[in-house]
Amino acid sequence: MLRMVSSPDWVRLSFGADMVLGFSPGVFLHNALNTTINLLQYYPDGCKANCAYCGQAREVSQGPECKTLIRVEWPLRKLDDVIKKIKERQGDPRFGLQRICVGQLAHPKAAQDSIEITRRIREAGIELSISELVTPTYTFKHHMEEMRKAGGDMIDVAIDAASKRVFDMTRGKEVRSMHSWDRYLKGIDEAVEVFGKGNAGIHLIIGLGETEKEAVDIMWYAHQRGAKITLFAFYPEQNTLMEKRKPVPVNVYRRIQLARWLIENDLVTYSDFVFDENERLIDINIPSDLSIDDIAPAFMTSGCPGCNRPYSNERPTMEFRNIPWYPSREMAIKALRQSKLDNVIKALEQK
């Protein structure tokens, strides 16, 4: 009897991960290889959600055949073949693999299949760190406990939207989707409780329609709950409800990157952020002893250690939004100036 092509036996790989593992040919611009193998679940009936910005959305994909997410293909592979390739490459400095991310679709089988995929990876003798990227609509605390027992060491809740207003507009009832803001907030607490502070976090996409104050608010909230913050810069997917929305401006993203870094390193209080009447971040009261060299990591890829995600926020011909390596001083100065936070720029460049 033939087995259905479906997770957990089958998974999709990000195109970058597919190249690193040798399934697809290609060359990485600037030699920015993926250090994380990103896996995404696959189901014949597709994702059940209808998020306005996503190429996997129910009304966009109309089943499983939509192959794109963050504007690249996600080839379908047998999990056993993926595991074999990872085993061949782990520990080889030419590839620099550090982490595997097990990503969920919004699907009733998602939580249990994440547990099974994680278990198979560990039982194969793979020693790379494993992150779980979960959808709390279908993943609950008891599932998270099983993910950790199976070998996951970090977990992220893909909340994406910075406020209930934006969440409902892009992921909830307003776009005929089932996700709930309150359930996602509860999922963050469950993730921190199970995996521990700093080992659980949120995925946040900047540019979905939030104000900069809303972005700072959700980052402050997440940090106070013990969750780390993974930032993405919105770039429109073709054929989605938000395909005509412009990418988030670089200056906006640089301000939020700097705010995240200051928050996560406990270098500011909430009152240190200054907003104008349109809730735009116009100033930050930074510690007087900070230098440009100190703040350089603010503009790097944030999130789980060992995850660099090159070109997940822009096209390869564009400037990196998340710099996938430690920035040079020149890169840090350029990124800082792009923030247009004049007082912060002046204070840091004087040192």
Side-chain angles (χ1 to χ4, degrees):
M1 180 178 178
L2 292 175
R3 300 183 70 178
M4 180 182 295
V5 176
S6 176
S7 290
D9 297 320
W10 292 77
V11 293
R12 280 180 165 156
L13 283 173
S14 69
F15 190 64
D18 208 60
M19 289 169 58
V20 168
L21 293 183
F23 289 110
S24 294
V27 177
F28 286 85
L29 192 63
H30 305 303
N31 200 34
L33 276 71
N34 281 58
T35 53
T36 293
I37 300 301
N38 300 98
L39 310 180
L40 183 66
Q41 294 170 340
Y42 172 87
Y43 299 106
D45 51 342
C47 185
K48 300 301 183 183
N50 200 44
C51 303
Y53 49 87
C54 183
Q56 299 291 306
R58 183 185 68 246
E59 294 180 7
V60 171
S61 62
Q62 299 180 343
E65 297 309 314
C66 179
K67 296 181 180 180
T68 63
L69 187 66
I70 57 173
R71 302 169 316 285
V72 297
E73 288 189 3
W74 287 66
L76 185 62
R77 306 294 181 194
K78 284 187 177 180
L79 179 61
D80 288 346
D81 293 341
V82 172
I83 289 174
K84 181 180 177 181
K85 293 281 192 179
I86 294 174
K87 285 190 69 175
E88 291 173 354
R89 285 162 170 74
Q90 71 173 353
D92 189 327
R94 292 176 300 171
F95 302 103
L97 296 181
Q98 299 183 47
R99 181 169 294 277
I100 299 167
C101 183
V102 181
Q104 292 185 353
L105 294 184
H107 194 279
K109 289 179 79 263
Q112 197 58 49
D113 286 344
S114 287
I115 296 166
E116 177 64 12
I117 290 168
T118 301
R119 183 188 65 79
R120 292 188 194 181
I121 291 170
R122 284 290 182 239
E123 288 185 348
I126 291 174
E127 299 177 353
L128 298 177
S129 299
I130 299 178
S131 294
E132 311 286 346
L133 180 58
V134 301
T135 302
T137 301
Y138 292 107
T139 300
F140 298 90
K141 183 179 176 181
H142 68 278
H143 295 123
M144 297 177 188
E145 291 170 341
E146 291 301 314
M147 290 172 190
R148 190 175 183 191
K149 289 178 183 177
D153 67 280
M154 302 195 87
I155 187 169
D156 272 359
V157 172
I159 194 168
D160 293 352
S163 67
K164 185 179 188 302
R165 175 185 67 84
V166 178
F167 189 99
D168 290 345
M169 181 176 66
T170 59
R171 311 201 68 192
K173 292 181 180 179
E174 292 183 34
V175 287
R176 300 169 297 284
S177 195
M178 81 296 257
H179 292 316
S180 159
W181 174 255
D182 290 341
R183 172 59 205 145
Y184 268 72
L185 293 186
K186 179 66 173 176
I188 294 169
D189 286 341
E190 291 172 350
V192 172
E193 185 175 346
V194 173
F195 280 77
K197 291 184 177 181
N199 294 320
I202 64 169
H203 274 202
L204 182 62
I205 301 174
I206 302 302
L208 294 182
E210 75 288 336
T211 67
E212 293 177 45
K213 183 178 183 297
E214 285 177 321
V216 171
D217 286 350
I218 189 63
M219 292 192 296
W220 189 263
Y221 174 87
H223 183 63
Q224 296 304 305
R225 308 300 284 189
K228 62 183 179 60
I229 303 155
T230 299
L231 289 183
F232 291 82
F234 173 75
Y235 191 95
E237 292 269 358
Q238 287 185 342
N239 302 317
T240 64
L241 292 175
M242 295 180 70
E243 67 175 343
K244 294 183 180 180
R245 185 178 184 86
K246 293 182 179 180
V248 61
V250 173
N251 66 82
V252 173
Y253 195 65
R254 295 299 187 221
R255 290 193 288 273
I256 302 304
Q257 283 180 305
L258 183 57
R260 178 208 64 83
W261 183 83
L262 291 166
I263 290 170
E264 289 205 310
N265 286 282
D266 296 309
L267 294 170
V268 290
T269 64
Y270 183 81
S271 61
D272 287 321
F273 295 105
V274 182
F275 304 94
D276 67 13
E277 64 276 9
N278 296 316
E279 299 193 351
R280 176 178 176 269
L281 183 60
I282 57 173
D283 198 6
I284 307 173
N285 297 315
I286 62 170
S288 60
D289 58 346
L290 282 183
S291 68
I292 288 175
D293 292 329
D294 293 327
I295 62 96
F299 307 110
M300 293 176 63
T301 304
S302 57
C304 296
C307 183
N308 62 346
R309 304 191 305 277
Y311 309 114
S312 62
N313 301 268
E314 64 282 308
R315 296 191 182 280
T317 54
M318 296 171 60
E319 181 178 15
F320 282 119
R321 299 308 186 261
N322 293 328
I323 301 172
W325 51 71
Y326 200 95
S328 65
R329 181 178 175 83
E330 290 72 22
M331 293 181 74
I333 291 172
K334 180 180 180 182
L336 176 64
R337 289 176 178 171
Q338 287 173 329
S339 75
K340 298 184 179 180
L341 291 168
D342 294 339
N343 290 338
V344 176
I345 295 168
K346 182 179 179 180
L348 289 170
E349 289 193 338
Q350 286 177 344
K351 299 173 185 176

